[in-house]
């Protein structure tokens, strides 16, 4: 297992380099430059000033030279300085926002697994029942509902009209004056809607995956043997069938990490949550190349690590994989 992990970690390096190269080229091919925001709205900005700004940011160099310089800084874990007016280090800005995004995504994954797995098991063991038909309808609704539309709908109905949940940020104005328990509840209260929006689509998909996997597993011969031995139905399902049914779900969970991180851009912008998704959106609007690349690198690393954790979980769930 240790040899396998080391090999996977080594292979992650060229994969990460390929992701950064493609991202760097695509970003610079997009229309607009950081200097446009500083010169186009200023009638006194001359062409000479714009060229000086391009030279200051290093945009006058060939693309391969810019990428080489950026890659050299990345090797020293230096993401450069933001093109924004604050000129703060990119890594410092990301470190401030990253914990919020990770917390929301971890809570979303936990909510998905806590609800989708039981739904899938019950739907498979009571096939064609009223519960199974109701969850099938729920799945179609979940797949068809855009996350941004759901976020706006919940904000309007539960936040504005009923006033049950806050719709902006993750803290109230009087947060500093609350007790320790009050601060925790305040953050939880702010995160309920974003986590619900983030988990809704995945919840529908994972419950279907779990149902189909469980249906396939309970048809196997070893399940029939376990029942013939006189084991209770609960023991057959949860001790013998569940672990094998979880294997494809674990794989899909690892592959869903990029979607969760990408979805952060949508709901963090809508709910004005100061996370990495909102920071990425602001960076794109400002053509802040170092900030965009820094966030893409962090997102790529989290994605690769998520896939690696999924493979490790695969081995933990199935002893045959550990042996091989």
């Amino acid at each position: 297992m240790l040899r396998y992990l080391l090999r996977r970690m080594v292979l992650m390096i060229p994969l990460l380099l390929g992701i950064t190269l493609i991202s760097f080229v695509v970003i610079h091919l997009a229309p607009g430059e950081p200097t446009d925001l500083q010169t186009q709205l200023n009638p006194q900005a001359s062409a000479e000033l714009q060229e000086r700004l391009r030279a200051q940011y290093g945009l006058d160099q060939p693309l391969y030279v810019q990428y080489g310089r950026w890659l050299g800084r990345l090797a020293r874990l230096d993401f450069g300085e933001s093109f924004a007016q604050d000129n703060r280090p990119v890594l410092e800005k990301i470190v401030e926002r990253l914990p919020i995004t990770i917390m929301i995504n971890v809570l979303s994954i936990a909510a998905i697994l806590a609800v989708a797995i039981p739904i899938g098991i019950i739907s498979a063991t009571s096939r064609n029942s009223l519960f199974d038909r109701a969850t099938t309808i729920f799945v179609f609704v979940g797949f068809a509902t855009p996350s941004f539309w759901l976020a706006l709908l919940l904000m309007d109905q539960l936040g504005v009209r009923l006033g049950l949940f806050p719709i902006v940020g993750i803290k109230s104005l009087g947060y500093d004056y609350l007790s320790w328990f009050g601060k925790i509840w305040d953050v939880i209260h702010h995160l309920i809607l974003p986590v619900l929006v983030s988990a809704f689509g995945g919840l529908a998909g994972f419950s279907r995956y779990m149902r189909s996997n469980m249906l396939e597993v309970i048809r196997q011969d070893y399940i029939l043997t376990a029942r013939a031995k006189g084991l209770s139905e609960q023991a057959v399902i949860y001790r013998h069938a569940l672990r094998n049914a979880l294997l494809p779900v674990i794989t899909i969970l690892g592959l869903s990490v990029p979607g969760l991180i990408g979805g952060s851009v949508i709901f963090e912008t809508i709910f004005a949550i100061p996370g990495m998704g909102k920071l990425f959106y602001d960076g794109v609007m400002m053509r802040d190349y170092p900030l965009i690349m820094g966030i893409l690198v962090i997102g790529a690393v989290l994605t690769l690590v998520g896939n690696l954790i999924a493979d490790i979980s695969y081995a933990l769930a199935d002893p045959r994989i550990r042996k091989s």
Side-chain angles (χ1 to χ4, degrees):
M1 176 64 74
L2 182 60
R3 241 189 353 246
Y4 170 77
L5 291 178
L6 292 175
R7 186 169 66 249
R8 283 292 305 270
M9 293 178 69
V10 171
L11 291 176
M12 285 168 60
I13 297 176
L15 184 58
L16 182 61
L17 289 176
I19 293 173
T20 60
L21 177 59
I22 296 174
S23 301
F24 195 89
V25 172
V26 170
I27 289 172
H28 284 75
L29 289 178
E33 286 188 344
T35 57
D36 294 342
L37 298 176
Q38 303 179 32
T39 58
Q40 288 184 350
L41 300 179
N42 186 358
Q44 299 180 351
S46 61
E48 180 183 358
L49 175 60
Q50 186 171 4
E51 288 300 320
R52 285 207 304 267
L53 287 174
R54 295 185 77 252
Q56 178 181 344
Y57 292 144
L59 301 176
D60 58 334
Q61 300 294 323
L63 194 58
Y64 66 89
V65 175
Q66 297 182 46
Y67 178 72
R69 291 178 176 176
W70 178 85
L71 198 60
R73 292 195 301 267
L74 180 64
R76 304 190 301 270
L77 297 180
D78 179 15
F79 291 93
E81 294 183 350
S82 172
F83 287 169
Q85 294 182 354
D86 54 10
N87 287 328
R88 294 175 58 198
V90 170
L91 187 59
E92 181 181 313
K93 299 178 75 170
I94 293 177
V95 168
E96 287 182 356
R97 305 288 190 95
L98 184 59
I100 298 176
T101 299
I102 291 180
M103 177 178 63
I104 293 176
N105 284 300
V106 169
L107 291 174
S108 299
I109 293 174
I112 289 172
L113 295 179
V115 178
I117 291 177
I119 288 178
I121 294 174
I122 297 173
S123 297
T125 54
S126 56
R127 188 181 179 186
N128 295 327
S129 65
L130 179 61
F131 181 84
D132 186 30
R133 296 174 188 273
T135 54
T136 301
I137 297 174
F138 166 76
V139 166
F140 284 119
V141 173
F143 278 127
T145 304
S147 58
F148 69 91
W149 179 83
L150 177 63
L152 295 174
L153 179 64
L154 294 178
M155 290 172 67
D156 178 62
Q157 297 295 324
L158 300 182
V160 177
R161 296 180 184 271
L162 299 179
L164 297 177
F165 301 102
I167 60 175
V168 176
I170 60 170
K171 295 179 182 178
S172 300
L173 293 177
Y175 176 83
D176 294 332
Y177 302 99
L178 297 174
S179 63
W180 178 80
F181 179 77
K183 290 180 178 179
I184 294 178
W185 170 246
D186 185 64
V187 173
I188 294 175
H189 198 208
H190 279 78
L191 290 179
I192 290 177
L193 287 184
V195 170
L196 179 61
V197 172
S198 177
F200 185 74
L203 177 62
F206 273 89
S207 62
R208 281 298 96 175
Y209 294 136
M210 192 66 209
R211 177 185 181 275
S212 61
N213 295 334
M214 183 61 72
L215 283 175
E216 183 178 353
V217 168
I218 60 179
R219 298 192 187 104
Q220 301 298 318
D221 293 338
Y222 70 90
I223 298 296
L224 182 62
T225 303
R227 285 172 173 159
K229 289 167 59 178
L231 294 178
S232 65
E233 187 67 15
Q234 185 176 3
V236 171
I237 296 299
Y238 291 99
R239 288 179 53 189
H240 295 274
L242 180 58
R243 294 185 69 174
N244 290 323
L246 281 175
L247 295 179
V249 175
I250 292 173
T251 303
I252 297 170
L253 181 63
L255 296 176
S256 67
V257 173
L260 289 172
I261 296 175
S264 301
V265 178
I266 298 175
F267 65 79
E268 285 184 8
T269 302
I270 293 176
F271 289 101
I273 296 175
M276 196 170 66
K278 180 67 165 59
L279 184 65
F280 181 76
Y281 174 81
D282 295 338
V284 171
M285 293 296 101
M286 297 174 59
R287 306 295 193 273
D288 194 342
Y289 295 157
L291 181 60
I292 296 173
M293 285 302 302
I295 294 176
L296 288 176
V297 169
I298 298 297
V301 170
L302 292 177
T303 300
L304 295 175
V305 171
N307 290 333
L308 182 60
I309 293 175
D311 289 341
I312 296 174
S313 303
Y314 217 88
L316 293 176
D318 192 343
R320 296 172 298 177
I321 298 176
R322 291 200 299 269
K323 295 296 183 182
S324 62

